Amino acid sequence: MSQTPTVNCPTCGAPVEWIASNVNRPFCSDRCKLIDLGAWASEEHKIPVSPDAEDDLFSEDFEPRH
């Protein structure tokens, strides 16, 4: 019999069983899930990009500024 895998909750660090019936995984609770969502909404969490990345992505979509 295999042991149930566990991960640490990204918000509080509590151990969380990684099973299909755990609707909050990887979080330990709905509260920790909402705390994490709030951190993304207030831009405490960000995905790092280079300052010019947006310019490179969209540079061909618009006419150059004069």
Side-chain angles (χ1 to χ4, degrees):
M1 185 168 247
S2 64
Q3 186 176 355
T4 304
T6 60
V7 296
N8 292 331
C9 174
T11 303
C12 71
V16 178
E17 289 186 342
W18 194 267
I19 54 177
S21 62
N22 183 355
V23 296
N24 293 313
R25 69 179 180 201
F27 302 98
C28 67
S29 66
D30 197 41
R31 178 181 181 271
C32 280
K33 190 173 14 175
L34 290 173
I35 290 170
D36 185 72
L37 178 61
W40 282 101
S42 65
E43 297 184 355
E44 292 174 34
H45 296 320
K46 305 176 196 185
I47 298 173
V49 295
S50 68
D52 298 329
E54 192 171 300
D55 292 339
D56 292 341
L57 288 172
F58 300 109
S59 62
E60 297 173 7
D61 293 346
F62 302 105
E63 294 291 323
R65 291 184 184 180
H66 298 296

